Amino acid sequence: MTGRQAHRAGTFVLSLLMVAIGVALIVQAAGERGSIVSPRLLLGVLFIVAGVGRLYLQARRGREAGSRET
């Protein structure tokens, strides 16, 4: 495994972990029947957005690198 492949794999795993943490925070906030603007709910949404954003950017970079090599 090259350094670049290890970096991509690490980014993928950490991005999925961020999404999972975000979902867990939202589930906890919903279970407590807190308000719509509870800090836990907002943090959950932000974690999901950050994780999905990282996954999107990584996929986009992968496609761009693949089109340049051909």
Side-chain angles (χ1 to χ4, degrees):
M1 178 179 276
T2 66
R4 183 173 298 229
Q5 290 171 333
H7 183 267
R8 281 188 184 170
T11 300
F12 182 76
V13 169
L14 290 176
S15 297
L16 288 180
L17 185 62
M18 288 176 72
V19 171
I21 290 171
V23 169
L25 286 168
I26 289 174
V27 167
Q28 279 186 343
E32 291 179 358
R33 301 189 191 278
S35 70
I36 297 270
V37 220
S38 83
R40 213 175 263 172
L41 181 67
L42 293 175
L43 274 174
V45 170
L46 290 174
F47 264 90
I48 290 174
V49 168
V52 169
R54 286 178 67 175
L55 288 170
Y56 170 75
L57 289 175
Q58 182 178 1
R60 187 172 168 202
R61 275 193 202 132
R63 283 194 304 254
E64 288 176 2
S67 66
R68 276 188 262 147
E69 292 175 3
T70 57

